[in-house]
Amino acid sequence: MLWNPTLFWLISGALLCLAELFLPTAFVAFMMGLSAFVVAAISLALPYVNLQIFLWMVCSVLFVLTTRRLIPKGKTRAIEDDKEAKTLTEIPPGEAGRVIYEGNSWRARCEDCDTAIPPNQNVIVVGRKGTTLIVVPENLLNS
């Protein structure tokens, strides 16, 4: 069996693509495998191994960046219907305070920018923006 760079790139590409099946890497290993197949084709015309390695790195980066743009961003887990929390600090109008929600302290804002919520009040979590919970006073919903 004659060992040459083209055979090396073909085997490497197959192993990287196969690795994606067992190690989910968000298509990174798969794109690196496809890059190896591209370099295998190029290696037939370019016998310089150093240049082939450089081309493989460049192709891998380009393929990974291209696929990142094509994969839709996953949405953060939405907070289920009305969840109760309790304010730890005052939530001034239009500003943030702290609430205890599911046993953890969270940054929180009132959904109504004109309403202040005093400490130790029950609130309902209606949404989330990043790590900030959006809350409304419980008495507002009950009235």
Side-chain angles (χ1 to χ4, degrees), residues 121-133:
Q121 295 295 312
N122 289 332
V123 293
I124 304 296
V125 178
V126 295
R128 185 174 92 184
K129 287 186 179 176
T131 58
T132 303
L133 297 178

Side-chain angles (χ1 to χ4, degrees), residues 6-143:
T6 304
L7 183 60
F8 169 77
W9 289 114
L10 289 173
I11 291 171
S12 297
L15 290 175
L16 284 166
C17 289
L18 189 63
E20 185 67 40
L21 293 174
F22 300 107
L23 304 169
T25 60
F27 294 111
V28 173
F30 186 71
M31 290 300 118
M32 292 171 68
L34 289 181
S35 298
F37 290 139
V38 169
V39 173
I42 293 172
S43 72
L44 295 171
L46 280 172
Y48 307 110
V49 176
N50 291 339
L51 184 58
Q52 292 171 10
I53 293 170
F54 177 75
L55 286 173
W56 175 73
M57 288 190 296
V58 170
C59 287
S60 294
V61 169
L62 290 176
F63 285 1
V64 168
L65 291 177
T66 302
T67 57
R68 290 281 183 232
R69 289 185 166 189
L70 298 177
I71 297 174
K73 301 268 190 261
K75 294 191 178 190
T76 57
R77 183 181 73 97
I79 293 177
E80 289 85 31
D81 296 332
D82 302 338
K83 293 280 190 167
E84 291 185 10
K86 190 168 199 163
T87 56
L88 293 172
T89 64
E90 177 185 8
I91 301 177
E95 294 183 29
R98 303 291 297 176
V99 298
I100 190 87
Y101 173 69
E102 294 183 345
N104 294 312
S105 174
W106 286 75
R107 186 170 189 256
R109 290 183 176 272
C110 184
E111 186 175 47
D112 181 13
C113 293
D114 298 328
T115 303
I117 305 173
N120 297 320
Q121 295 295 312
N122 289 332
V123 293
I124 304 296
V125 178
V126 295
R128 185 174 92 184
K129 287 186 179 176
T131 58
T132 303
L133 297 178
I134 310 301
V135 298
V136 295
E138 187 178 59
N139 60 3
L140 185 67
L141 292 177
N142 294 334
S143 58

